[in-house]
Amino acid sequence: MVVPPLLRAVIMGPPGSGKGTVSARIIKHFGVKHLSSGDLLRDNMQKKTEVGILAKSYIDQGQLIPDDIMTRLMLSELKGLDQYNWLLDGFPRTVAQAEALDKTCQIDTVIDLDVPFETIKSRLTARWIHPASGRVYNLEFSPPKVQGTDDITGEPLVQRDDDKPETVTKRLQAYDAQTKPVLEYYRRPEAPSLGWLSFKGVFLH
């Protein structure tokens, strides 16, 4: 019996472009493992690990996490997924991270979400969450029934530090400077042949 090759995919797009929504659809329909750098970082920050505390100091300043920290964190997680199809969300974010990933495994599919920054800014700054459950509300598209409170528990909603307007602007500028070159890295003539899917617009549901 011929064993089909394992899927090695990355999804790329600015913060708030809908990577989580698209990833959830792919996981549901194709049964792949999903590894989100954002989820992994938030888990570490919540647990106040050494990496989590360090990462929070960069995020609070609207900066991306240094390459060596992100690479070590993500590649460590990938070691446990070598027998599975997987989708990376939020990694690699720099060419250096992409090069480090290439040394470990060969990416075969890139999913690119191409969304205008102004659209993202208005969406992200309207986003509020219920910390205990992770439920997300958007004041424009999916507001809570009662402003400022969770529909299920009635508990107060909060705005993540990285969704505040000044931080969003810094994150988008950092993405433009550091992550757009990763797309060019995967498009370079000498790169291995890749499957390429490109979408325009914000994915909300």
Side-chain angles (χ1 to χ4, degrees), residues 62-159:
Q63 299 178 9
L64 297 179
I65 312 301
D67 289 333
D68 60 328
I69 297 173
M70 281 308 309
T71 300
R72 187 171 73 243
L73 188 65
M74 295 297 287
L75 293 186
S76 174
E77 290 291 314
L78 281 177
K79 287 179 182 177
L81 299 178
D82 59 348
Q83 300 300 314
Y84 298 93
N85 297 307
W86 46 249
L87 173 68
L88 298 183
D89 174 357
F91 180 89
R93 274 190 170 150
T94 68
V95 172
Q97 291 176 13
E99 290 173 340
L101 180 61
D102 274 352
K103 293 175 182 176
T104 303
C105 60
Q106 184 62 60
I107 295 299
D108 54 49
T109 303
V110 175
I111 302 167
D112 174 29
L113 305 185
D114 184 8
V115 185
F117 281 3
E118 287 304 314
T119 302
I120 292 171
K121 284 173 67 175
S122 60
R123 180 193 174 207
L124 282 187
T125 55
R127 184 167 66 178
W128 291 72
I129 65 168
H130 178 241
S133 68
R135 278 186 288 275
V136 178
Y137 298 87
N138 186 289
L139 301 184
E140 296 179 9
F141 303 107
S142 55
K145 294 174 183 175
V146 178
Q147 186 172 353
T149 61
D150 177 54
D151 287 351
I152 307 299
T153 66
E155 294 171 348
L157 303 177
V158 302
Q159 188 172 45

Side-chain angles (χ1 to χ4, degrees), residues 155-194:
E155 294 171 348
L157 303 177
V158 302
Q159 188 172 45
R160 288 192 338 211
D161 288 340
D162 51 350
D163 285 342
K164 293 177 180 176
E166 62 277 9
T167 308
V168 167
T169 298
K170 289 181 180 179
R171 290 174 70 206
L172 291 174
Q173 289 171 342
Y175 174 87
D176 197 47
Q178 294 188 318
T179 307
K180 274 194 174 180
V182 177
L183 293 172
E184 297 308 314
Y185 172 81
Y186 285 127
R187 285 190 177 110
R188 72 196 192 283
E190 67 273 21
S193 179
L194 293 171

